[in-house]
Amino acid sequence: MSSTPFLSIIIPVYNVEEFLPCCIDSILAQEWTDYELLLVDDGSTDGSFDICDTYARQYAFIHCFHQPNGGHTSARQKGFTQAKGQYVTFVDSDDWIAPSMYRLMCSAAKDTGADVVCCNYTAVTPKKEIPCCSPFAGGLYDKARLEEKIYPNMIYFGDFFTYGIAPSLCNKLFRRELIGPHLLQVPLSLKLGEDGLASYICLLEASSVYFLEETLYYYRSSASSLTHHMDDKRLLENHTLFDTFHQIIDCRVYPYMERQLDYYIVYQCLLTFVPVFQDMTASFKETRRLFLKECSYPPIRKAFHSVNIGSIKGLHNKCYVFCIQHGLYALFRFFLKH
């Protein structure tokens, strides 16, 4: 291994003692060895703290950092500030990867000089595995091909809701200089949707991107996932997420992004509005006030009035979109219960 590794792998760690050894062992089993592994313990209160230290003592290329709990993004940013690799990637601490993942991805980066390398992934639920494959053909895309083939369908591929490229940071390698500024500007408060703020702007700024057709990353999806814990703070996070997207992606420079961002905002709102308002215990008057406030928030209002209801999948989703468009809270509540 060279003194400066080709790849830095960053794992944010928080209370995952059940899954962490499997995650780290899948990295130790890699066929590519020119890497460093940075474990960032984000204030764990279970055995994760000791697991990180144990691995770091055993392997010179594993570096462990402990910090007070600051959240997933904070841990990623801490890891990045310590990383030395030419390329940077991330693994979530309850996931795992195929042994060939970094051999294939790093070889593609080395051979082509691509700024970003992407692979496919599998979502693993307690009952089944769901392959999640990019609709784009494998191979190298230079800037001209990116602008023609990828960017017009990068976030929204035309079927509600199908990503052209999934926002995850974990199934991608990034040239260090490309991702740094964007990763470090992601708001620390976000717990949902934060990956896309870094990944999509990196893709837009990349000179070339390489797509592998292999499925190499395994994402563990369970009831304990962050996406299953919703309260009204998620609505404020939506504001931060949408405002930040519009700050970092100038639709005057990237005109093909405006429609995609509208559909993305609608999708994210449906992901959050339904569970948040289902679980609210406040009075009808108070929840209606909050609902109308959300409906009138400028990026949300624009997005919901820009999308075609006919393109929205699912009868309930169509009804929710109609209610949000017209501020019909009583009808929205009706559909939540039926």
Side-chain angles (χ1 to χ4, degrees), residues 89-107:
T89 192
F90 303 86
V91 178
D92 284 344
S93 52
D94 51 354
D95 299 339
W96 71 95
I97 60 177
S100 60
M101 178 166 173
Y102 294 138
R103 174 177 60 80
L104 293 171
M105 297 186 81
C106 291
S107 294

Side-chain angles (χ1 to χ4, degrees), residues 1-2 4-7 31-35 85-87 101-118 140 173-175 208-210 212:
M1 186 187 301
S2 61
T4 300
F6 185 79
L7 179 65
E31 297 163 2
W32 178 272
T33 58
D34 189 4
Y35 69 86
Q86 298 175 48
Y87 284 78
M101 178 166 173
Y102 294 138
R103 174 177 60 80
L104 293 171
M105 297 186 81
C106 291
S107 294
K110 237 178 182 177
D111 293 345
T112 67
D115 288 329
V116 184
V117 179
C118 307
L140 182 67
L173 260 58
F174 299 90
R175 190 179 297 280
S208 60
V209 178
Y210 195 95
L212 288 165

Side-chain angles (χ1 to χ4, degrees), residues 175-313:
R175 190 179 297 280
R176 175 190 171 82
E177 294 80 8
L178 176 64
I179 192 173
H182 304 303
L183 179 70
L184 296 175
Q185 74 176 0
V186 175
L188 298 181
S189 62
L190 290 179
K191 296 180 176 62
L192 190 64
E194 72 277 12
D195 282 31
L197 292 176
S199 62
Y200 288 135
I201 191 64
C202 284
L203 290 162
L204 285 170
E205 292 185 356
S207 297
S208 60
V209 178
Y210 195 95
F211 291 91
L212 288 165
E213 294 183 337
E214 290 85 353
T215 299
L216 302 169
Y217 190 93
Y218 294 86
Y219 160 67
R220 195 187 304 271
S221 177
S222 68
S224 61
S225 168
L226 279 173
T227 55
H228 293 271
H229 296 282
M230 297 284 183
D231 56 33
D232 56 0
K233 293 178 184 176
R234 285 285 188 269
L235 302 178
L236 293 177
E237 287 184 28
N238 277 350
H239 296 189
T240 302
L241 178 64
F242 304 154
D243 290 343
T244 307
F245 258 117
H246 284 297
Q247 289 166 13
I248 66 174
I249 297 180
D250 188 340
C251 291
R252 293 169 299 180
V253 178
Y254 307 108
Y256 33 68
M257 297 306 300
E258 184 168 7
R259 177 174 177 272
Q260 295 184 69
L261 285 174
D262 284 339
Y263 274 88
Y264 174 80
I265 287 171
V266 170
Y267 174 61
Q268 290 292 330
C269 284
L270 293 181
L271 284 180
T272 50
F273 275 38
V274 172
V276 166
F277 284 99
Q278 273 181 334
D279 293 344
M280 271 192 185
T281 57
S283 67
F284 179 89
K285 182 179 180 181
E286 179 60 24
T287 53
R288 179 178 181 275
R289 184 197 64 79
L290 181 58
F291 177 81
L292 294 177
K293 180 181 176 183
E294 292 303 305
C295 294
S296 64
Y297 194 72
I300 294 175
R301 185 178 68 246
K302 175 188 177 298
F304 274 85
H305 283 85
S306 298
V307 301
N308 175 8
I309 288 185
S311 67
I312 305 298
K313 271 192 174 179

